[in-house]
Amino acid sequence: MKTYKTTAVIVGILYIIGTLSGILSVAVTRDLFAGEDFLTKIAENQSQLNLGALMILIMGLSLAAMPVFLYPLFKRKNQALALGMVVFRGPLEGSTYILVVVGWLWLGVFSKEFQAAGAESVPLQVVGNVFLQTKNIVTPVLTIVFIIGAMLLYTLFYLTKLIPRWLSGWGLIAAVFYVTVDLVILLGFNLHLDVLYIPLAVQEMVMALWLISKGFNQVELDRLLTERNSV
C-alpha cells in the first residue's frame, strides 16, 4: 500500500509542476505576441521567449508522465477508458506541446532574420503574421486534446472513487467551461471568456494537494485491487 501512496504523491507533484509551468510560460511571454511589432519584441526579448518555451516543455512532459502512473490502477476498472486517457494525455498532448515549443523557437530565429532585414522586412512580416495566426489556431486544438484526456481522467476517478466524487465531478464540469473558451476562439468569435479557465486550474491544484496529503481512498483502493477488469 505504501507504493500506491507514493503513486498519489507523484501524480500530485506532476500536476503542480505542470500547472505552475504553464502559468509561468504565460506570464513571461504574455506581451511578446501582442501588437503588429511582435517580431521586433521577440527579437529583442529572446530570453523571455526561450524561458516560456522551456516552461511549456516542462509542462508537457510532466502532464504526459502523469497518466503512466495512474494507468495500472485505472485499467483494473476499465481498460478502454484507461488506455484512452494514456493516449490523449500522453503522446497526443505531449507531442502537441513539443510542436508548440518548436514553433516558438523557430519564431525566435525568424524574428532575428526580420530584424536584420531592415527596410526589406515587409515580406517577412507577412510570413510572421501567418505563423502567428497558425499559433492562435493550434492553441484551441491543443486544448481540445487536453480536455478529452482530462474528461477521461476524471471519469475514471469518478468511477473508481479513489478521490472524492465531488472533486472528480468538479473536474468534469470545469473541463466543459475550459474547452468552451477555445471553441469560441476556434469558431472565430471575439469574446473574452478567459475567466472560464479558472475553475479547472483551481480544481487541479486542489486535487494535487489532496493526492499529496491524503493519497487515494484506502477502502476504494482495496476494492479496486480485488475486482476484475471491465472493458
Side-chain angles (χ1 to χ4, degrees):
M1 296 308 166
K2 182 179 180 182
T3 300
Y4 292 108
K5 172 60 178 177
T6 302
T7 298
V9 171
I10 291 174
V11 171
I13 291 173
L14 288 173
Y15 254 108
I16 291 175
I17 292 174
T19 300
L20 292 181
S21 298
I23 293 173
L24 185 56
S25 73
V26 173
V28 299
T29 63
R30 177 168 33 189
D31 299 325
L32 292 183
F33 301 112
E36 296 182 358
D37 60 338
F38 68 94
L39 286 174
T40 300
K41 288 190 290 187
I42 290 173
E44 295 174 349
N45 297 277
Q46 287 285 315
S47 59
Q48 282 182 245
L49 183 71
N50 292 340
L51 179 59
L54 176 61
M55 292 299 103
I56 290 289
L57 183 60
I58 292 174
M59 175 177 66
L61 292 176
S62 61
L63 294 180
M66 178 271 300
V68 175
F69 292 93
L70 290 173
Y71 177 74
L73 283 173
F74 284 158
K75 74 175 182 178
R76 293 174 174 271
K77 187 66 176 180
N78 190 302
Q79 189 169 14
L81 290 178
L83 186 58
M85 176 205 65
V86 171
V87 170
F88 276 93
R89 295 303 308 256
L92 287 182
E93 185 180 332
S95 60
T96 308
Y97 282 124
I98 292 174
L99 181 63
V100 170
V101 169
V102 171
W104 282 22
L105 295 178
W106 180 87
L107 188 56
V109 174
F110 185 80
S111 68
K112 291 181 180 178
E113 295 297 323
F114 171 83
Q115 192 176 48
E120 300 178 356
S121 64
V122 174
L124 294 178
Q125 178 71 57
V126 174
V127 176
N129 287 336
V130 171
F131 180 85
L132 186 63
Q133 292 304 314
T134 302
K135 167 187 170 296
N136 293 337
I137 294 173
V138 169
T139 300
V141 173
L142 168 60
T143 298
I144 292 171
V145 173
F146 161 73
I147 287 301
I148 292 174
M151 295 193 78
L152 288 170
L153 170 72
Y154 293 127
T155 298
L156 286 162
F157 266 133
Y158 189 87
L159 293 174
T160 59
K161 303 179 187 177
L162 292 177
I163 60 174
R165 278 190 162 176
W166 63 264
L167 190 50
S168 53
W170 177 4
L172 286 168
I173 296 171
V176 175
F177 291 157
Y178 193 102
V179 77
T180 298
V181 181
D182 290 272
L183 285 176
V184 167
I185 295 172
L186 197 59
L187 293 174
F189 295 103
N190 188 24
L191 300 175
H192 300 286
L193 302 173
D194 290 356
V195 67
L196 295 181
Y197 286 139
I198 296 176
L200 187 60
V202 174
Q203 187 275 344
E204 287 186 343
M205 289 300 91
V206 172
M207 184 176 68
L209 294 174
W210 183 283
L211 288 170
I212 292 171
S213 62
K214 295 182 178 295
F216 299 125
N217 182 308
Q218 190 61 56
V219 174
E220 298 301 331
L221 178 60
D222 292 341
R223 181 179 292 117
L224 183 64
L225 293 176
T226 56
E227 71 179 15
R228 291 187 175 184
N229 168 264
S230 60
V231 178

Coordinates of all heavy atoms in Angstrom, one line a residue, residues 56-95:
I56 N 6.8 25.6 -21.3 CA 5.9 24.8 -22.0 C 6.3 23.3 -22.1 O 5.6 22.4 -21.9 CB 5.6 25.3 -23.4 CG1 4.9 26.7 -23.3 CG2 4.9 24.3 -24.3 CD1 3.4 26.6 -23.0
L57 N 7.6 23.1 -22.3 CA 8.2 21.8 -22.4 C 8.1 21.1 -21.1 O 7.7 19.9 -21.1 CB 9.7 21.9 -22.9 CG 10.4 20.5 -23.1 CD1 9.7 19.7 -24.2 CD2 11.8 20.8 -23.4
I58 N 8.4 21.7 -20.0 CA 8.3 21.1 -18.7 C 6.8 20.8 -18.4 O 6.6 19.7 -17.9 CB 8.9 22.1 -17.6 CG1 10.4 22.2 -17.8 CG2 8.5 21.5 -16.2 CD1 11.0 23.3 -16.8
M59 N 5.9 21.7 -18.7 CA 4.5 21.4 -18.5 C 4.1 20.2 -19.3 O 3.4 19.3 -18.8 CB 3.7 22.6 -18.9 CG 2.2 22.3 -18.8 SD 1.2 23.8 -19.2 CE 1.6 24.0 -21.0
G60 N 4.5 20.1 -20.6 CA 4.1 19.0 -21.4 C 4.6 17.7 -20.9 O 3.9 16.7 -20.9
L61 N 5.9 17.6 -20.5 CA 6.5 16.4 -20.1 C 5.9 15.9 -18.8 O 5.6 14.7 -18.6 CB 8.0 16.6 -19.9 CG 8.8 16.8 -21.2 CD1 10.3 17.1 -20.9 CD2 8.6 15.6 -22.2
S62 N 5.6 16.8 -17.8 CA 5.1 16.4 -16.5 C 3.6 15.9 -16.7 O 3.3 14.9 -16.1 CB 5.1 17.6 -15.6 OG 4.4 18.7 -16.0
L63 N 2.8 16.6 -17.5 CA 1.5 16.2 -17.7 C 1.4 14.9 -18.5 O 0.4 14.1 -18.3 CB 0.6 17.3 -18.3 CG 0.5 18.6 -17.5 CD1 -0.3 19.6 -18.3 CD2 -0.2 18.3 -16.2
A64 N 2.3 14.7 -19.4 CA 2.3 13.5 -20.2 C 2.8 12.3 -19.3 O 2.4 11.1 -19.6 CB 3.3 13.6 -21.4
A65 N 3.6 12.5 -18.3 CA 4.1 11.4 -17.5 C 3.0 11.0 -16.5 O 3.0 9.8 -16.1 CB 5.4 11.9 -16.7
M66 N 2.1 11.9 -16.1 CA 1.2 11.6 -15.1 C 0.3 10.4 -15.3 O 0.1 9.5 -14.5 CB 0.3 12.9 -14.9 CG -0.8 12.7 -13.9 SD -2.4 12.1 -14.6 CE -2.7 13.4 -15.8
P67 N -0.3 10.2 -16.6 CA -1.1 9.0 -16.8 C -0.4 7.7 -16.7 O -1.0 6.7 -16.5 CB -1.7 9.3 -18.2 CG -0.8 10.2 -18.8 CD -0.3 11.1 -17.7
V68 N 0.9 7.7 -16.9 CA 1.7 6.5 -16.8 C 1.6 5.9 -15.4 O 1.5 4.7 -15.3 CB 3.1 6.7 -17.2 CG1 4.0 5.5 -17.0 CG2 3.3 7.2 -18.6
F69 N 1.6 6.7 -14.4 CA 1.5 6.3 -13.0 C 0.1 5.8 -12.6 O -0.1 5.0 -11.8 CB 2.0 7.4 -12.1 CG 3.4 7.7 -12.2 CD1 3.9 8.7 -13.0 CD2 4.4 7.0 -11.5 CE1 5.2 9.0 -13.2 CE2 5.7 7.2 -11.6 CZ 6.1 8.2 -12.4
L70 N -0.9 6.4 -13.3 CA -2.3 6.0 -13.0 C -2.9 4.9 -13.7 O -3.8 4.2 -13.3 CB -3.2 7.3 -13.2 CG -3.0 8.4 -12.2 CD1 -3.9 9.6 -12.7 CD2 -3.4 8.0 -10.8
Y71 N -2.3 4.6 -14.9 CA -2.8 3.5 -15.8 C -2.9 2.2 -15.1 O -4.0 1.5 -15.2 CB -2.0 3.4 -17.0 CG -2.4 2.3 -17.9 CD1 -3.6 2.4 -18.7 CD2 -1.7 1.1 -18.0 CE1 -4.0 1.4 -19.5 CE2 -2.1 0.1 -18.9 CZ -3.2 0.2 -19.6 OH -3.7 -0.8 -20.4
P72 N -1.9 1.7 -14.3 CA -2.0 0.4 -13.7 C -3.2 0.2 -12.8 O -3.8 -0.9 -12.6 CB -0.7 0.3 -12.9 CG 0.3 1.1 -13.6 CD -0.6 2.3 -14.1
L73 N -3.6 1.3 -12.2 CA -4.8 1.3 -11.3 C -6.1 1.4 -12.1 O -7.0 0.6 -12.0 CB -4.8 2.4 -10.3 CG -3.8 2.2 -9.1 CD1 -3.8 3.5 -8.3 CD2 -4.3 1.1 -8.2
F74 N -6.2 2.4 -13.0 CA -7.4 2.6 -13.8 C -7.8 1.5 -14.7 O -8.9 1.2 -15.0 CB -7.2 3.9 -14.6 CG -7.4 5.2 -13.8 CD1 -6.8 6.4 -14.3 CD2 -8.0 5.2 -12.6 CE1 -7.0 7.5 -13.5 CE2 -8.2 6.3 -11.8 CZ -7.6 7.5 -12.3
K75 N -6.8 0.7 -15.2 CA -7.1 -0.4 -16.1 C -7.8 -1.5 -15.4 O -8.5 -2.3 -16.1 CB -5.8 -0.9 -16.8 CG -4.9 -1.7 -15.9 CD -3.7 -2.3 -16.6 CE -2.9 -3.2 -15.7 NZ -1.7 -3.8 -16.5
R76 N -7.7 -1.5 -14.1 CA -8.5 -2.5 -13.3 C -10.0 -2.2 -13.4 O -10.8 -3.1 -13.2 CB -8.0 -2.6 -11.9 CG -6.6 -3.1 -11.8 CD -6.1 -3.0 -10.3 NE -4.8 -3.6 -10.1 CZ -4.6 -4.9 -9.8 NH1 -5.7 -5.7 -9.6 NH2 -3.4 -5.4 -9.7
K77 N -10.3 -1.0 -13.6 CA -11.7 -0.6 -13.6 C -12.3 -0.6 -15.0 O -13.3 -1.2 -15.3 CB -11.9 0.8 -13.0 CG -13.3 1.3 -12.9 CD -14.0 0.4 -11.9 CE -15.5 0.9 -11.6 NZ -16.1 0.0 -10.6
N78 N -11.5 0.0 -16.0 CA -12.0 0.0 -17.4 C -10.7 0.2 -18.2 O -10.2 1.3 -18.3 CB -13.0 1.1 -17.6 CG -13.7 1.0 -19.0 OD1 -13.0 1.0 -20.0 ND2 -15.0 0.9 -19.0
Q79 N -10.3 -0.8 -18.9 CA -9.0 -0.8 -19.6 C -9.2 0.1 -20.8 O -8.2 0.8 -21.2 CB -8.6 -2.2 -20.1 CG -7.2 -2.2 -20.7 CD -6.7 -3.6 -20.9 OE1 -7.5 -4.6 -20.8 NE2 -5.4 -3.7 -21.1
A80 N -10.3 0.2 -21.5 CA -10.5 1.0 -22.7 C -10.4 2.5 -22.3 O -9.7 3.2 -23.0 CB -11.9 0.7 -23.3
L81 N -11.1 2.9 -21.2 CA -11.0 4.3 -20.8 C -9.6 4.6 -20.4 O -9.1 5.7 -20.6 CB -12.0 4.6 -19.7 CG -13.5 4.6 -20.1 CD1 -14.3 4.8 -18.8 CD2 -13.8 5.6 -21.1
A82 N -9.0 3.7 -19.6 CA -7.6 4.0 -19.1 C -6.6 4.1 -20.3 O -5.8 5.0 -20.3 CB -7.2 2.8 -18.2
L83 N -6.8 3.3 -21.3 CA -5.9 3.4 -22.5 C -6.1 4.7 -23.2 O -5.2 5.4 -23.7 CB -6.1 2.2 -23.4 CG -5.2 2.1 -24.6 CD1 -3.7 2.0 -24.1 CD2 -5.5 0.9 -25.4
G84 N -7.4 5.1 -23.3 CA -7.7 6.4 -24.0 C -7.1 7.5 -23.2 O -6.6 8.5 -23.8
M85 N -7.2 7.5 -21.9 CA -6.6 8.5 -21.1 C -5.1 8.6 -21.3 O -4.5 9.7 -21.5 CB -6.8 8.3 -19.6 CG -6.2 9.3 -18.7 SD -5.8 8.6 -17.0 CE -4.6 7.3 -17.4
V86 N -4.4 7.5 -21.4 CA -2.9 7.5 -21.6 C -2.6 8.1 -23.0 O -1.7 8.9 -23.2 CB -2.4 6.1 -21.5 CG1 -0.9 6.0 -21.9 CG2 -2.5 5.6 -20.1
V87 N -3.4 7.7 -24.0 CA -3.1 8.1 -25.4 C -3.3 9.6 -25.5 O -2.5 10.3 -26.1 CB -4.0 7.4 -26.4 CG1 -3.9 8.0 -27.8 CG2 -3.7 5.9 -26.5
F88 N -4.4 10.2 -25.0 CA -4.7 11.6 -25.1 C -3.8 12.4 -24.2 O -3.3 13.5 -24.6 CB -6.2 11.9 -24.8 CG -7.1 11.7 -26.0 CD1 -7.7 10.5 -26.2 CD2 -7.2 12.7 -26.9 CE1 -8.5 10.3 -27.3 CE2 -8.0 12.5 -28.1 CZ -8.7 11.3 -28.3
R89 N -3.6 12.0 -22.9 CA -2.8 12.8 -22.0 C -1.3 12.5 -22.2 O -0.5 13.3 -21.7 CB -3.2 12.4 -20.6 CG -4.6 12.8 -20.1 CD -5.0 14.3 -20.2 NE -4.1 15.2 -19.7 CZ -4.2 15.9 -18.5 NH1 -5.3 15.6 -17.8 NH2 -3.4 16.7 -18.1
G90 N -1.0 11.4 -22.9 CA 0.4 11.1 -23.1 C 0.9 11.6 -24.4 O 1.3 12.7 -24.6
P91 N 1.0 10.7 -25.4 CA 1.6 11.0 -26.7 C 0.9 12.1 -27.5 O 1.6 13.0 -28.1 CB 1.6 9.7 -27.5 CG 0.6 8.8 -26.8 CD 0.6 9.2 -25.4
L92 N -0.4 12.2 -27.5 CA -1.1 13.2 -28.3 C -0.9 14.6 -27.7 O -0.4 15.5 -28.4 CB -2.6 12.9 -28.4 CG -3.0 11.7 -29.3 CD1 -4.5 11.6 -29.3 CD2 -2.5 12.0 -30.7
E93 N -1.2 14.7 -26.4 CA -1.0 16.0 -25.7 C 0.5 16.4 -25.7 O 0.9 17.5 -25.9 CB -1.6 16.0 -24.3 CG -1.6 17.3 -23.7 CD -2.2 17.3 -22.3 OE1 -3.0 16.4 -22.0 OE2 -1.8 18.1 -21.4
G94 N 1.3 15.4 -25.3 CA 2.8 15.7 -25.2 C 3.4 16.1 -26.5 O 4.2 17.1 -26.5
S95 N 3.1 15.5 -27.6 CA 3.6 15.8 -28.9 C 3.2 17.2 -29.3 O 3.9 17.9 -30.0 CB 3.3 14.8 -29.9 OG 1.9 14.7 -30.1

